[in-house]
């Protein structure tokens, strides 16, 4: 039997087992081996980060504006991460579609 304090102090760490995506055949160099959706989200993330930084430096910006920009940035980061994880699973799967081709 384990002590209840052992269970409480034990950390559950999440680690993704997905191998990193390293494209071998890039059809459109401007997308760097990713999709236009990922590139668009990356551009939006950069833009929102700049907007948030400008709002933080501007003494006339309100806390509501800053909070809204932070929320927008958080949503975009979540969208990017979820899409990226899902696509990496798809991109790195080996033999997943072989049965369809038979």
């Amino acid at each position: 039997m384990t002590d209840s304090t052992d269970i409480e102090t034990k950390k559950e760490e999440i680690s993704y087992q997905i191998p990193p995506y390293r494209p071998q055949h890039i059809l459109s160099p401007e997308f760097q081996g990713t999709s236009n959706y990922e590139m668009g989200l990356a551009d939006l993330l950069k833009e929102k980060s700049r907007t948030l930084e400008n709002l933080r430096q501007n003494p006339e910006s309100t806390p509501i504006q800053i909070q809204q920009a932070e929320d927008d940035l958080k949503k975009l980061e979540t969208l990017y991460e979820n899409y990226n994880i899902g696509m990496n699973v798809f991109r790195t799967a080996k033999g997943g579609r072989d049965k369809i081709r038979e």
Side-chain angles (χ1 to χ4, degrees):
M1 295 299 253
T2 60
D3 189 48
S4 64
T5 56
D6 290 340
I7 294 172
E8 291 173 2
T9 57
K10 186 177 180 181
K11 288 184 179 180
E12 182 178 321
E13 294 183 18
I14 298 173
S15 63
Y16 295 107
Q17 302 295 322
I18 305 165
Y21 175 58
R22 292 186 181 89
Q24 295 175 355
H25 307 288
I26 298 175
L27 299 176
S28 298
E30 67 271 14
F31 295 126
Q32 303 163 2
T34 62
S35 68
N36 59 348
Y37 179 80
E38 288 171 288
M39 294 301 288
L41 276 179
D43 291 343
L44 282 173
L45 279 168
K46 290 176 191 172
E47 181 184 324
K48 282 293 178 184
S49 295
R50 276 188 250 124
T51 302
L52 179 60
E53 195 59 38
N54 290 341
L55 284 172
R56 286 183 176 156
Q57 293 176 358
N58 185 358
E60 295 178 10
S61 62
T62 65
I64 294 172
Q65 290 173 322
I66 294 172
Q67 183 63 40
Q68 182 65 43
E70 288 172 349
D71 291 345
D72 291 345
L73 188 61
K74 214 177 287 185
K75 287 176 192 174
L76 286 172
E77 287 171 346
T78 303
L79 281 172
Y80 184 80
E81 184 178 335
N82 287 341
Y83 184 82
N84 200 11
I85 289 170
M87 283 306 293
N88 279 349
V89 169
F90 177 75
R91 288 172 176 151
T92 58
K94 293 185 173 142
R97 305 189 99 200
D98 289 345
K99 293 178 184 174
I100 296 172
R101 293 184 185 136
E102 290 177 355

